[in-house]
Amino acid sequence: QVQLVESGGGWVQAGGSLRLSCAASGRTLSTYTMGWFRQAPGKEREIVAVIHRSGVSKYYSDSVKGRFTISRDNAKNTAYLQMNSLKPEDTAVYYCAATSAPFTRMTDEYDYWGQGTQVTVSS
């Protein structure tokens, strides 16, 4: 079992930055691919970014590419999402998740989820 806890969410003005953290306990994160997802009110949960267990391969959705950076520190058992140039449409609850699959964007293939952290971007 892996327990994931997100932190770092909050309120920010458009153009600002936030850094989300996802701390894991229970098992080492180094064996899991990590993903960040988000869900806005009335919308389905969507993929934001994925990072392979090695930290080498990364994926970003088109909506965040060039603005967000996913990273991980396996020694600290933590994954991160650096969010720059935030826009009001980035407002959502952000979730981190872990999967034993090699590298996937599919929500259903993630085994463990955090409780989510709210990000609100005002215009």
Side-chain angles (χ1 to χ4, degrees):
Q1 281 280 10
V2 177
Q3 292 79 43
L4 302 174
V5 178
E6 302 97 336
S7 61
W11 177 90
V12 65
Q13 287 189 322
S17 298
L18 284 173
R19 188 194 196 202
L20 304 184
S21 298
C22 174
S25 61
R27 295 186 70 176
T28 177
L29 268 188
S30 62
T31 59
Y32 295 94
T33 286
M34 298 298 296
W36 284 96
F37 295 78
R38 67 186 181 186
Q39 187 166 18
K43 295 188 177 182
E44 292 188 356
R45 191 169 298 188
E46 64 175 359
I47 185 70
V48 174
V50 180
I51 185 167
H52 186 264
R53 60 178 68 99
S54 68
V56 174
S57 298
K58 301 178 183 179
Y59 163 83
Y60 297 96
S61 67
D62 288 343
S63 60
V64 307
K65 198 173 297 181
R67 300 187 297 122
F68 290 12
T69 302
I70 190 171
S71 62
R72 66 191 299 158
D73 185 337
N74 287 338
K76 294 182 178 180
N77 237 23
T78 303
Y80 305 95
L81 184 68
Q82 177 67 44
M83 307 186 294
N84 298 330
S85 302
L86 283 161
K87 304 175 181 180
E89 50 264 44
D90 294 319
T91 296
V93 177
Y94 283 72
Y95 300 88
C96 69
T99 178
S100 54
F103 193 79
T104 179
R105 292 173 267 173
M106 304 302 293
T107 306
D108 292 347
E109 295 186 13
Y110 280 78
D111 306 302
Y112 304 103
W113 292 82
Q115 82 290 349
T117 185
Q118 176 71 46
V119 171
T120 303
V121 184
S122 65
S123 57

